[in-house]
C-alpha cells in the first residue's frame, strides 16, 4: 500500500502592483453596470431604442432608480 504525503505550499502575499489591474477592471465594470442600470435610456442615452431600458427595468426599481 502506497501512502502519499503532501505538504502545504507556502502562501505568497500579493503586491499592490499585482492587484491593481484587477481592481481597475472591477471598478470600471461596476461603473458601467451602474450607468446602464441608473442612467441609460434617460437624458444621457448612448443606445437608441428601449431595449436596454426594458432589459434592466425591474432591476432599476429594485435598486430605487426612477425610470418613468
Amino acid at each position: 500500500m502506497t501512502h502519499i504525503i503532501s505538504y502545504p505550499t507556502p502562501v505568497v502575499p500579493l503586491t499592490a502592483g499585482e492587484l491593481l489591474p484587477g481592481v481597475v477592471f472591477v471598478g470600471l465594470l461596476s461603473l458601467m453596470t451602474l450607468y446602464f442600470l441608473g442612467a441609460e435610456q434617460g437624458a444621457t442615452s448612448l443606445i437608441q431604442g428601449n431595449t436596454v431600458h426594458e432589459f434592466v427595468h425591474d432591476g432599476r426599481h429594485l435598486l430605487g432608480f426612477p425610470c418613468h
Side-chain angles (χ1 to χ4, degrees):
M1 187 171 206
T2 305
H3 297 285
I4 298 175
I5 299 173
S6 63
Y7 298 100
T9 58
V11 177
V12 179
L14 295 174
T15 63
E18 293 172 333
L19 286 177
L20 186 62
V23 170
V24 169
F25 175 73
V26 169
L28 289 175
L29 192 62
S30 298
L31 286 175
M32 278 183 20
T33 302
L34 184 63
Y35 169 77
F36 277 108
L37 279 175
E40 181 61 31
Q41 303 297 351
T44 60
S45 179
L46 296 176
I47 301 173
Q48 300 299 319
N50 288 335
T51 306
V52 174
H53 175 83
E54 294 302 325
F55 185 71
V56 297
H57 187 234
D58 292 337
R60 283 181 167 183
H61 290 298
L62 180 69
L63 294 173
F65 289 106
C67 63
H68 45 90

